[in-house]
Amino acid sequence: MPNPANRVGTQQRAQTSAINPNPNLVKNVAEDLRRYAPEINWDYAIIQRVNPEDLSSKLVWLSPRKVLLEHDEKSNLELLPGDIVTIFSQRDISVPRTERSQYVIVEGEVVRPGVYKLETNETLHSVLQRAGGLTPNAYVYGAQLTRESARVDQQKSLDELTRSMEVQIRQSAVTVAASTNPGDLPQMLAAQEAIIAQLRNTRASGRVALPVKPKDKNLTDFPNMVLEDSDRLEIPHTPSTVSVVGDVYNPGSFIFEPRNTAGAYLEIAGKGKPQSDLHHAFVLRANGIVVAANNVNGFFVGTKFDHIRLYPGDQIVVPYKLPTGAFVRGLRDWTQITSQLAITGAALAVILP
């Protein structure tokens, strides 16, 4: 009678690996975990068996899942002398994406910030509950969810727009040459090319705007969305400032005052300079939503946008105005698209020289 101990399911070996503590790797924590502490490929292992008569070898497939987790007796194969059992990790042999170990980062104002392994179709509410819920200082409205798939789509749109603007610049060069002092043309084209170069170097954030309200306080106020591998949720404490960036005399952060509107904060920042494009200014809400001046004002600049109510963490962005008609039209399109992608106002301020 075969010795029951001489079975695949009784031979287990554990291996531990230290994860590199370098903080620069935190952004790629999912890949780090797969690299330094790879999980078993539960659906594929092999027994290498040698025939003692002719020394030929063959491979026998087995399922670690059925043997070790489901305790399937039929799959618990008897081992013979000289057998070599190899159990692979998910890094050794890639498994379907849906079967890969998936991780998310939850940080900031939660009871237990950290890295969490996702269960199948696990939602944001579930992960936040595992993280111990929110702290009393959590600012739900300012939560930032970044997602790799969103970053890829955003970057693709930004790259396509950059290519489109390059074409517009070159097509308008002939028209500009006919209507502008020829001596000014090289300098103008050089300035436009510099902006295109900065656009090429701009990288999308991957932020997903969450439909949360300024007064939301509870875990259940978050959308109960299914999370993806490498998602990162940062929940800040309630800020005390509103920012104004771009082409204003005094850009910076200012103490939040509930009575102050967008117009009041623009006044504090010195409002726009002569080359400011206030018609295309916008508010980047703390939750990632954008409110553009040209959408709320219509043809006239000022009134409605100035009366927009702001909340802690909101940011007013005032872009620069460029001289050439064709290029300005392209810039307006770019401002609208990147606003929808929720690229930060600080990045916009840098891009618009």
Side-chain angles (χ1 to χ4, degrees):
M1 181 176 180
N3 184 349
N6 195 27
R7 298 270 183 173
V8 174
T10 60
Q11 299 188 12
Q12 303 178 39
R13 181 174 61 183
Q15 178 179 354
T16 60
S17 299
I19 299 177
N20 192 328
N22 186 340
N24 293 329
L25 297 178
V26 173
K27 291 190 296 184
N28 301 317
V29 65
E31 291 303 320
D32 291 342
L33 286 169
R34 279 189 279 270
R35 182 180 301 112
Y36 297 111
E39 188 169 320
I40 287 175
N41 182 340
W42 289 102
D43 296 307
Y44 183 79
I46 58 172
I47 302 172
Q48 184 178 357
R49 180 166 292 168
V50 177
N51 186 326
E53 295 182 0
D54 59 9
L55 300 182
S56 62
S57 65
K58 67 175 181 177
L59 301 179
V60 180
W61 169 84
L62 63 91
S63 169
R65 185 186 308 278
K66 290 184 177 296
V67 175
L68 301 175
L69 301 183
E70 300 176 3
H71 305 291
D72 179 18
E73 189 60 29
K74 292 183 179 179
S75 301
N76 195 11
L77 305 177
E78 180 183 356
L79 295 178
L80 302 179
D83 279 355
I84 300 174
V85 180
T86 303
I87 298 179
F88 296 94
S89 72
Q90 293 183 7
R91 183 185 176 193
D92 295 325
I93 298 179
S94 181
V95 299
R97 187 175 184 85
T98 55
E99 297 181 14
R100 293 173 60 190
S101 300
Q102 300 187 11
Y103 303 92
V104 296
I105 301 175
V106 181
E107 55 187 339
E109 296 297 327
V110 292
V111 176
R112 293 187 295 274
V115 181
Y116 290 87
K117 181 182 176 183
L118 288 178
E119 303 298 333
T120 303
N121 294 325
E122 189 166 14
T123 64
L124 178 56
H125 287 185
S126 173
V127 172
L128 285 175
Q129 288 170 352
R130 286 205 279 148
L134 307 178
T135 70
N137 295 322
Y139 188 45
V140 172
Y141 189 59
Q144 295 194 29
L145 174 66
T146 53
R147 171 167 290 178
E148 177 60 19
S149 61
R151 187 198 65 77
V152 171
D153 290 341
Q154 292 171 6
Q155 190 64 49
K156 181 179 178 181
S157 296
L158 188 56
D159 291 342
E160 289 176 353
L161 184 60
T162 302
R163 288 192 291 269
S164 174
M165 290 182 67
E166 286 183 283
V167 173
Q168 289 183 42
I169 287 177
R170 285 159 177 72
Q171 289 177 343
S172 65
V174 176
T175 303
V176 173
S179 59
T180 306
N181 183 345
D184 296 335
L185 183 60
Q187 183 178 0
M188 185 179 299
L189 291 178
Q192 294 173 346
E193 291 290 352
I195 292 176
I196 291 297
Q198 290 178 317
L199 274 173
R200 286 198 205 98
N201 294 327
T202 301
R203 291 295 173 262
S205 66
R207 183 177 182 181
V208 177
L210 299 175
V212 289
K213 301 178 179 62
K215 294 184 178 181
D216 287 344
K217 298 289 184 182
N218 301 316
L219 181 156
T220 53
D221 291 325
F222 284 101
N224 198 24
M225 58 193 294
V226 175
L227 294 181
E228 296 182 6
D229 186 30
S230 299
D231 278 357
R232 183 169 190 158
L233 178 67
E234 181 178 0
I235 304 176
H237 68 280
T238 303
S240 59
T241 59
V242 168
S243 299
V244 181
V245 300
D247 194 35
V248 293
Y249 285 99
N250 183 32
S253 297
F254 306 96
I255 299 298
F256 171 71
E257 170 55 56
R259 295 172 297 179
N260 283 352
T261 61
Y265 285 108
L266 282 172
E267 290 288 347
I268 296 173
K271 212 137 190 184
K273 298 179 180 180
Q275 68 271 30
S276 299
D277 190 358
L278 288 172
H279 184 68
H280 292 94
F282 59 88
V283 173
L284 179 61
R285 296 290 195 189
N287 68 344
I289 301 297
V290 170
V291 181
N294 58 347
N295 288 338
V296 298
N297 288 332
F299 181 77
F300 299 99
V301 179
T303 313
K304 293 182 181 179
F305 184 76
D306 285 350
H307 285 82
I308 290 177
R309 182 180 179 183
L310 298 184
Y311 302 97
D314 284 352
Q315 187 175 66
I316 302 173
V317 182
V318 180
Y320 291 71
K321 186 185 296 181
L322 292 180
T324 357
F327 187 75
V328 169
R329 287 196 294 274
L331 179 61
R332 289 172 181 172
D333 294 339
W334 173 81
T335 302
Q336 181 180 3
I337 291 175
T338 50
S339 298
Q340 293 170 351
L341 296 179
I343 295 178
T344 65
L348 291 170
V350 171
I351 293 168
L352 302 181

